[in-house]
Amino acid sequence: MKNILTFLVLTLSISYGNTQRSIINFNNNWQFIQEDNPSFSKVNIDDSKWQTLNVPHDWSFEKGVRKGGDQGQGGGYHDGGIGWYRKQFNVNKKSLSKTTYINFDGVYMNSEVWVNGNQLGKRPYGYISFRYNISKYLKKGENTIAIRVDNSLEPSARWYHPCGIYAPVKLIEVNPVHFKPNTIFITTPSIEAEVAMVNIAAEVNGSFKELAYQVKIFSPEGNLLNSKSEKITTSKNSIKLAVSNPQLWSPENPTLYKAVTKILDGKKVIDEVEITFGFKTVEWKTETGFWLNGDNVKLKGICEHWEGGPVGGAWTKPMLRWKLQLLKDMGINAIRPSHNPTPPMFYDICDEIGLLVMDEIFDGWHKKAPEDYGKQAFDEWWQRDVEEWITRDRNHPSIFVWSLGNETHSDVAPEMVKFGKSLDPTRLFTSGAGNPEDMDIQGVNGGSETKSFIEGKTFDKSFISTEAPHTWQTRGYYRTHTWWRDNELPGTYELPNLTEKEIFFYEGLNPKDWKNRKQRFNSSYDNATVRVSARKYWEVMRDTPWHSGHFRWTGFDYYGEAGLVHGGLPFNLFMGGALDVAGFEKDLYHFYKSQWTKEPMIHMLPHWTHPRMEKGTVIPVWVYSNADEVELFLNGKTLGKDKPGTVWNEMQCEWMVPYEEGKLEAIAYIDGKEVKRTSFTTSKQPTKLKTTLQKLKAEDGFAASYILTSESVDENNNFYPYGENKVYYNIQGDLEKVSIENGNPIDPTSRTKSDFRSLFFGKSRLFLEEKVNAVKTIIFTGSILGDKSLYVSDEITISVGQISILHNANTSDLEIKYTIDGSDPETNGISYKGAFKVSNGTTVKAIVKQNGITLFTMEERFGKDEGLFWGNEHAADMWIGRGVNISAEDGILEGGAKSDNDAHRYKGSGFVRFDGKEGAITWYQENDGEPGDYSIRFRYMHNNEGQLHPMKLYVNDEYISTLEFNATGGWEKEWKFVPTIVVLQSGANNIKLETTGESGPYIDELFVD
């Protein structure tokens, strides 16, 4: 079977300077309050005490992590709630004769809009654009718009979601006769080397008598290539034009042309739209996969939540370009926005930098999270949302396939495919493991990771691995023994340990304090996974002809799904990315770069600072490179050369190196000549901060952004990889803080409100944005530096610096005072002259002043129990062989179910009790494989002799059975288990226990064995 599709798609880009079509940036000077009152929709209210802000805005991200946060573990323990936005704007008399639209690129969720007190409508879906024609409600002079955003029903997603107007807003003013929104659709009936035929269809709104429709096409260099005008005789019009010798759009050469479409009254322009577009051909072949422009291409893709990164959901275009360019530089050629459409600027950037997009509309077509769109609005709204999605996005050359859902199954699928093709017949449809029988392309998520799948599957249609591989890495953390998320599963490829015995014994948390076996950091050796390593799956995808390619999970780490892989609080984010949420590159990033890019590169791991490691311990040293060969040196002595291979476990150059302090250096060669080198030198305790600044230039109405990176280094400027000290920031001038992010999954410090963040494995970042008419800014940094545990040294340094931005400022003299006895340095401080020593358990306090004004007050505690946990080879033995266990207190509690810790021998942070009342507990468990039978058991306790406390068991809202709980012999510490067998579907599953009128026992945990 062979699916062949040839087409041309384009990007809609409207000229801002055209007087016939005025597009006004509506992002600035909104008033916001997180309260709810019907009067907020009225014209005349006192909103003087509301917060003034610019959108994009995400109030959930600003509020931060909270134990018991509305979004639960899936949302990284962030909150929801209800918020209102208001804005005043002026309209002149001339504009009242125009047609005016208010256009929102994204509001999460259940938005309602009023203009001058008139309600315009409601839009439930949080990940879709929408607009209202507000012309009849406008008046000369001051006008008021109000938006209510309702996230009171939570959790409404299975991962972190933004709250508020998280995407750009525009006011669009046109003549009454204009191009109807989302109706310009450009395709091509043929693309040949010599000529391509371009069809530009558009729908005209209003009276079109005596008017003409004109299209001009310009080359990438701006030269006019062809033009044509036709009289408008119907509201729907199309013009065909030929383009000679078309240059094709591809990830390697994202060539964009431009079309200018006009409605003319004689020579007078009534409406005008500029469109950038690109030519490409796409073919799908069952036997050989994906073909682009006649070439058989492997899709080297990543999945990416809109919220993955340091801003929550409130991306500006400069920040979004930074994110996507980082992913592009890793070598990807494709991206799957998972599992929802993104604002249009995302696709604009993908068009420009060259990223193929699998555009996806829904996570599910039914309830997957307790209060998600599938439950709240899907049945009523899916057609309107699909229509908006496809008609809005179909003109982007980057989009090569439509995905209708993710890990979902429903009889609605055939109808959705048919409806989608009525809106865009030029592309094929797929889904992430949902209704494959109804899709043009077979999409499979985690189930495609196994050996049994790859070696045993046959298809009668083209195949994409829509979500694989699933691997985990904590930046800067290493273990030599393999870690499986759910213990080793059947049918997987081998992933042997790197050493006979584990050699690294540090953790973010003491294993005795873990809630479950998931609460460890994940190794950066590419040996922490669900089923397969990144290296093996690249080999499989590369060498299997019918495998079109993969979308790894994920590009960036993201907030939420903290319980799924990492066991819940204190973990609040997901570490499946090739980059962490601060945008720091993990070792995995460089593996892909070594396989997917051509510019000579080299990257070595692990670092070479191991103060607690016994000299002579053999460490696996890996080097990722795309060179011919690599030579490794230790303290100037060669350890030999190795060549990167094509087999998965030979893709890294590898040496087993006995540890000794000094300089470890790797040199890459091509044709015998050196092309790249990298090195590590063993670091002493940190004494300084190394700061670097990156500017992201302003664009498309968004101000410039800045990224200030802080790293811990020793007196010789060697990077200290265990840096954990707080870095304080004071910003003076015309920049404002967006967030401070370090990538630490267990750091609860506010990213937006605090003036400090701790280094995480030696690194942290401050993200900033220019204010209007920015002129100058000075940023002061400060840190009390030293080894947190005092193992390397008991010497402490106070490091303070300043960075001038937008201008050159004179270095200021700063006054630093400190104490080591816990007292206030303002009154008892010693003037800082240089490094000083402390003893175990010391809290150092310091104050930094400029001209008598306090810049920041700092505090840092040092001692043997501070910072990272340092154990031994047996520190985590208690968790060996344990299955997946999910604490009851982390589930969704209803009715009389409440969390408590007044008992003994419970696991995690507590348990759930009912106290004679009725209620329910709902757990969520992700199954990345095929549907199947799973053994589960509930850990419980009670001492009511003769009572069974029957509870109904539901899986995915379907009644399974009623379980009985015999007395265990106590209410304090006598825990037992009730086991059963259930069927878990692919993807998200909800497991619910509900009382039946006889209350319930203490419930401690759900085990999936």
Side-chain angles (χ1 to χ4, degrees):
M1 178 179 177
K2 180 179 177 181
N3 295 318
I4 301 179
L5 192 60
T6 304
F7 59 94
L8 168 71
V9 288
L10 305 96
T11 301
L12 188 62
S13 174
I14 302 171
S15 170
Y16 283 68
N18 190 323
T19 57
Q20 284 72 37
R21 175 174 284 258
S22 175
I23 300 183
I24 301 166
N25 182 328
F26 219 57
N27 292 338
N28 299 334
N29 297 316
W30 288 85
Q31 303 298 114
F32 170 75
I33 192 168
Q34 198 182 344
E35 294 180 9
D36 190 27
N37 190 313
S39 68
F40 293 165
S41 66
K42 296 179 179 179
V43 176
N44 297 313
I45 68 165
D46 181 8
D47 58 9
S48 60
K49 294 184 179 179
W50 292 27
Q51 179 185 356
T52 301
L53 52 79
N54 298 336
V55 301
H57 174 240
D58 178 357
W59 83 65
S60 183
F61 183 74
E62 286 188 350
K63 289 183 67 177
V65 175
R66 176 180 67 85
K67 183 177 181 180
D70 301 338
Q71 295 191 37
Q73 70 82 20
Y77 309 96
H78 289 78
D79 276 328
I82 296 174
W84 280 81
Y85 297 83
R86 288 172 56 86
K87 180 179 172 73
Q88 279 73 45
F89 60 103
N90 285 304
V91 175
N92 59 41
K93 183 177 180 180
K94 183 179 178 181
S95 294
L96 296 179
S97 64
K98 303 278 189 174
T99 296
T100 303
Y101 295 96
I102 183 74
N103 189 95
F104 295 90
D105 283 347
V107 183
Y108 197 103
M109 63 182 291
N110 292 315
S111 64
E112 298 175 85
V113 183
W114 289 261
V115 169
N116 292 330
N118 298 284
Q119 186 169 13
L120 305 181
K122 179 177 180 178
R123 198 73 181 211
Y125 197 26
Y127 290 107
I128 200 69
S129 298
F130 59 94
R131 68 205 55 77
Y132 297 106
N133 183 339
I134 63 175
S135 309
K136 66 181 181 180
Y137 303 115
L138 298 179
K139 60 183 180 180
K140 181 182 176 182
E142 186 175 272
N143 292 256
T144 301
I145 185 169
I147 297 98
R148 180 179 186 266
V149 185
D150 185 353
N151 288 293
S152 58
L153 298 177
E154 293 285 2
S156 63
R158 295 185 299 119
W159 55 91
Y160 172 81
H161 66 73
C163 287
I165 305 176
Y166 68 87
V169 184
K170 299 181 181 70
L171 204 65
I172 304 171
E173 186 180 286
V174 293
N175 285 311
V177 178
H178 58 273
F179 291 113
K180 191 176 178 180
N182 289 354
T183 63
I184 296 177
F185 185 25
I186 305 181
T187 57
T188 180
S190 64
I191 300 176
E192 303 294 341
E194 295 78 16
V195 66
M197 295 304 299
V198 185
N199 187 76
I200 307 97
E203 188 172 348
V204 177
N205 188 81
S207 176
F208 47 79
K209 187 177 182 180
E210 303 301 324
L211 301 180
Y213 173 45
Q214 182 192 76
V215 178
K216 293 183 177 181
I217 295 181
F218 294 85
S219 71
E221 297 75 28
N223 301 316
L224 179 63
L225 300 178
N226 206 343
S227 66
K228 188 176 183 180
S229 297
E230 290 183 352
K231 184 178 180 180
I232 299 176
T233 59
T234 178
S235 61
K236 295 182 179 181
N237 301 267
S238 65
I239 283 179
K240 287 186 179 180
L241 292 172
V243 173
S244 299
N245 305 311
Q247 300 176 52
L248 301 184
W249 184 99
S250 69
E252 296 74 25
N253 297 290
T255 305
L256 296 173
Y257 289 72
K258 183 173 69 175
V260 178
T261 62
K262 297 180 181 180
I263 301 172
L264 300 175
D265 183 358
K267 293 185 178 181
K268 181 181 179 182
V269 179
I270 306 299
D271 194 16
E272 180 177 342
V273 175
E274 288 187 3
I275 307 159
T276 54
F277 69 91
F279 298 93
K280 75 172 186 288
T281 66
V282 165
E283 297 179 64
W284 294 94
K285 302 179 183 180
T286 304
E287 296 80 12
T288 53
F290 177 70
W291 293 71
L292 178 67
N293 300 330
D295 295 326
N296 195 189
V297 174
K298 291 293 185 181
L299 294 166
K300 296 173 284 190
I302 54 96
C303 296
E304 187 68 12
H305 281 316
W306 175 248
E307 299 82 6
V311 298
W315 290 95
T316 63
K317 196 167 185 180
M319 283 292 296
L320 184 60
R321 185 179 295 276
W322 165 79
K323 173 183 180 178
L324 292 174
Q325 189 63 55
L326 274 171
L327 294 168
K328 173 79 173 180
D329 291 345
M330 186 175 80
I332 70 168
N333 61 13
I335 188 168
R336 177 193 181 206
S338 312
H339 303 286
N340 311 98
T342 68
M345 61 182 177
F346 173 93
Y347 308 100
D348 292 341
I349 297 170
C350 290
D351 293 341
E352 294 164 14
I353 70 174
L355 285 177
L356 291 158
V357 179
M358 174 187 288
D359 205 7
E360 190 159 87
I361 179 65
F362 300 124
D363 182 24
W365 309 322
H366 49 75
K367 186 183 84 168
K368 295 175 76 174
E371 300 292 346
D372 63 5
Y373 169 85
K375 175 185 177 183
Q376 292 191 45
F378 176 83
D379 290 342
E380 180 182 353
W381 280 90
W382 76 261
Q383 285 194 332
R384 275 171 284 187
D385 289 334
V386 167
E387 181 175 8
E388 169 67 25
W389 167 58
I390 290 181
T391 58
R392 185 198 71 177
D393 292 352
R394 62 189 174 181
N395 290 329
H396 287 278
S398 54
I399 296 172
F400 73 105
V401 67
W402 301 113
S403 176
L404 289 167
N406 175 67
E407 294 175 350
T408 189
H409 194 89
S410 171
D411 294 339
V412 76
E415 184 181 357
M416 293 179 70
V417 172
K418 182 179 179 181
F419 183 67
K421 289 188 174 183
S422 73
L423 301 168
D424 179 14
T426 69
R427 293 178 181 86
L428 299 182
F429 285 78
T430 189
S431 69
N435 281 68
E437 66 277 8
D438 299 311
M439 303 298 159
D440 302 309
I441 310 296
Q442 170 97 42
V444 180
N445 282 3
S448 64
E449 295 177 341
T450 64
K451 180 178 181 180
S452 55
F453 176 89
I454 294 297
E455 297 182 1
K457 281 287 185 180
T458 57
F459 295 102
D460 59 1
K461 59 179 68 174
S462 299
F463 163 81
I464 310 176
S465 188
T466 40
E467 192 174 298
H470 296 77
T471 68
W472 329 119
Q473 289 196 346
T474 306
R475 174 183 55 79
Y477 173 86
Y478 301 93
R479 285 182 61 82
T480 57
H481 276 206
T482 302
W483 185 86
W484 306 89
R485 186 191 76 178
D486 301 322
N487 292 322
E488 188 170 0
L489 298 169
T492 56
Y493 291 100
E494 66 172 357
L495 188 56
N497 296 328
L498 303 179
T499 59
E500 181 180 354
K501 289 187 175 183
E502 182 59 61
I503 62 173
F504 297 104
F505 307 117
Y506 57 106
E507 294 287 351
L509 300 170
N510 187 330
K512 292 181 179 179
D513 297 326
W514 293 356
K515 291 182 179 179
N516 49 63
R517 61 174 292 273
K518 295 181 178 183
Q519 294 212 296
R520 77 179 329 149
F521 287 165
N522 298 125
S523 171
S524 292
Y525 273 115
D526 187 31
N527 58 352
T529 184
V530 179
R531 290 179 179 81
V532 69
S533 68
R535 292 164 296 146
K536 182 62 180 180
Y537 205 67
W538 162 234
E539 177 195 70
V540 165
M541 184 255 279
R542 181 196 64 201
D543 296 344
T544 305
W546 51 263
H547 198 305
S548 299
H550 73 50
F551 291 85
R552 77 153 282 116
W553 191 267
T554 52
F556 272 67
D557 289 352
Y558 57 91
Y559 312 112
E561 293 199 274
L564 171 62
V565 175
H566 309 306
L569 282 174
F571 287 83
N572 60 67
L573 58 77
F574 186 103
M575 293 185 290
L579 302 103
D580 68 18
V581 284
F584 290 121
E585 300 161 359
K586 302 183 187 181
D587 295 304
L588 180 68
Y589 181 96
H590 298 281
F591 160 68
Y592 284 115
K593 198 168 186 177
S594 73
Q595 301 299 309
W596 292 352
T597 68
K598 296 180 179 179
E599 182 72 21
M601 59 79 61
I602 189 170
H603 176 78
M604 180 166 57
L605 65 140
H607 54 72
W608 207 242
T609 299
H610 306 290
R612 297 172 191 252
M613 186 170 286
E614 184 178 342
K615 184 178 179 180
T617 301
V618 176
I619 301 176
V621 173
W622 288 11
V623 173
Y624 294 131
S625 181
N626 52 13
D628 294 340
E629 59 182 356
V630 177
E631 188 171 12
L632 189 69
F633 297 83
L634 178 58
N635 293 325
K637 180 181 178 180
T638 183
L639 301 182
K641 294 181 178 180
D642 194 10
K643 296 182 178 182
T646 56
V647 178
W648 74 275
N649 57 355
E650 298 174 1
M651 290 178 179
Q652 74 279 356
C653 298
E654 185 173 1
W655 296 260
M656 301 301 288
V657 183
Y659 180 62
E660 65 176 69
E661 292 186 353
K663 183 177 181 180
L664 189 69
E665 185 170 34
I667 301 177
Y669 304 94
I670 295 178
D671 296 330
K673 297 180 180 179
E674 178 184 334
V675 291
K676 286 283 182 179
R677 69 170 60 198
T678 188
S679 65
F680 295 122
T681 299
T682 305
S683 175
K684 299 178 181 179
Q685 79 273 12
T687 62
K688 295 183 288 186
L689 283 180
K690 176 184 176 183
T691 58
T692 54
L693 184 70
Q694 179 182 4
K695 180 179 180 179
L696 311 176
K697 67 180 182 179
E699 63 171 313
D700 206 11
F702 291 102
S705 291
Y706 295 82
I707 304 173
L708 183 70
T709 301
S710 300
E711 299 176 89
S712 55
V713 297
D714 71 3
E715 60 186 3
N716 297 314
N717 295 316
N718 298 312
F719 176 63
Y720 181 70
Y722 302 109
E724 303 177 78
N725 309 111
K726 301 182 186 77
V727 180
Y728 292 79
Y729 301 95
N730 180 283
I731 305 165
Q732 297 183 4
D734 301 328
L735 295 184
E736 58 185 354
K737 178 178 64 180
V738 176
S739 71
I740 313 174
E741 185 53 84
N742 57 13
N744 188 344
I746 61 174
D747 185 352
T749 307
S750 172
R751 303 173 177 99
T752 61
K753 298 174 184 177
S754 177
D755 66 345
F756 71 88
R757 201 84 192 271
S758 296
L759 298 165
F760 181 59
F761 287 118
K763 299 181 180 182
S764 186
R765 272 179 169 158
L766 170 66
F767 295 85
L768 305 123
E769 185 176 313
E770 281 187 10
K771 298 178 182 178
V772 177
N773 301 320
V775 176
K776 63 180 180 178
T777 295
I778 300 175
I779 300 174
F780 294 93
T781 63
S783 189
I784 302 170
L785 290 170
D787 177 17
K788 285 283 288 183
S789 64
L790 304 180
Y791 184 88
V792 175
S793 170
D794 59 2
E795 194 167 86
I796 306 301
T797 306
I798 299 177
S799 176
V800 179
Q802 75 173 55
I803 303 98
S804 298
I805 302 176
L806 304 173
H807 75 304
N808 292 321
N810 295 326
T811 302
S812 303
D813 289 331
L814 302 176
E815 179 186 8
I816 307 172
K817 291 187 174 182
Y818 73 96
T819 63
I820 59 174
D821 61 0
S823 63
D824 184 358
E826 180 74 55
T827 55
N828 301 324
I830 306 167
S831 292
Y832 178 71
K833 302 298 184 183
F836 55 92
K837 293 189 175 184
V838 299
S839 58
N840 180 48
T842 297
T843 297
V844 180
K845 294 184 178 181
I847 190 167
V848 180
K849 291 187 175 183
Q850 179 192 36
N851 300 324
I853 300 174
T854 300
L855 297 178
F856 30 65
T857 300
M858 305 187 292
E859 183 175 318
E860 195 78 55
R861 183 173 174 82
F862 298 89
K864 64 180 182 179
D865 294 324
E866 297 297 320
L868 291 168
F869 167 79
W870 294 87
N872 56 47
E873 62 180 307
H874 299 296
D877 282 357
M878 70 190 81
W879 296 99
I880 295 174
R882 297 280 290 272
V884 178
N885 52 319
I886 312 173
S887 296
E889 67 272 17
D890 289 337
I892 305 298
L893 306 184
E894 301 175 57
K898 67 177 184 178
S899 178
D900 197 1
N901 59 7
D902 186 17
H904 299 283
R905 297 180 182 172
Y906 57 79
K907 305 297 183 182
S909 61
F911 57 92
V912 171
R913 62 192 299 166
F914 293 89
D915 292 336
K917 300 176 182 177
E918 305 304 312
I921 310 168
T922 301
W923 293 267
Y924 282 83
Q925 169 64 12
E926 187 88 3
N927 174 21
D928 285 314
E930 299 293 329
D933 291 342
Y934 285 79
S935 296
I936 67 171
R937 52 197 170 108
F938 300 95
R939 190 170 190 258
Y940 78 99
M941 176 170 62
H942 79 85
N943 196 32
N944 292 328
E945 290 291 339
Q947 293 190 33
L948 299 177
H949 293 295
M951 301 184 76
K952 289 184 178 180
L953 172 64
Y954 296 85
V955 176
N956 298 323
D957 300 323
E958 180 180 346
Y959 171 74
I960 303 300
S961 62
T962 298
L963 304 180
E964 295 179 339
F965 297 83
N966 288 296
T968 61
W971 283 105
E972 290 293 322
K973 56 185 179 181
E974 304 300 329
W975 300 91
K976 291 186 177 180
F977 291 93
V978 169
T980 189
I981 304 291
V982 297
V983 174
L984 298 182
Q985 300 299 322
S986 294
N989 293 268
N990 64 78
I991 301 169
K992 181 177 183 178
L993 271 185
E994 183 177 52
T995 61
T996 60
E998 298 181 38
S999 191
Y1002 290 178
I1003 302 290
D1004 185 28
E1005 290 184 311
L1006 162 67
F1007 284 77
V1008 182
D1009 291 315

